Amino acid sequence: MQPPILKESIEKLEIEDELKKFMTIHHMMTLEDLLKIKGSELLKMEGFSYRMLQSLLAFLHKYDCLHLFEEG
């Protein structure tokens, strides 16, 4: 079973505003949407930075979801 935090609206999550903006631009409304994309692909996307990746990984680690992230 997926952790409930993955289905929460990004507006409710305590993630960086920069990451929220990126997700909104790319029509990702939940972390579940974001995790469908491998890390290597995220880094190639317009507007995604290594700093955002580090922030995302720290957030996933905090909620014991890091294992769901695919590097690529």
Side-chain angles (χ1 to χ4, degrees):
M1 185 173 130
Q2 297 284 21
I5 193 94
L6 297 182
K7 295 196 181 285
E8 285 283 331
S9 166
I10 58 170
E11 297 306 317
K12 296 179 181 179
L13 299 178
E14 295 178 20
I15 58 174
E16 302 240 355
D17 288 340
E18 185 180 27
L19 183 55
K20 284 182 187 180
K21 183 177 177 183
F22 170 83
M23 291 175 69
T24 301
I25 289 170
H26 293 282
H27 309 287
M28 299 174 201
M29 298 299 123
T30 64
L31 283 176
E32 185 176 51
D33 295 337
L34 181 64
L35 291 175
K36 291 176 184 173
I37 303 170
K38 294 180 179 180
S40 59
E41 294 302 313
L42 283 172
L43 287 168
K44 293 176 187 174
M45 293 176 73
E46 180 84 26
F48 194 82
S49 67
Y50 184 73
R51 194 172 67 70
M52 279 194 279
L53 177 61
Q54 288 183 314
S55 172
L56 171 64
L57 294 177
F59 183 86
L60 292 173
H61 178 71
K62 179 179 176 179
Y63 289 95
D64 295 320
C65 297
L66 191 55
H67 65 282
L68 299 173
F69 179 80
E70 289 187 49
E71 290 183 29

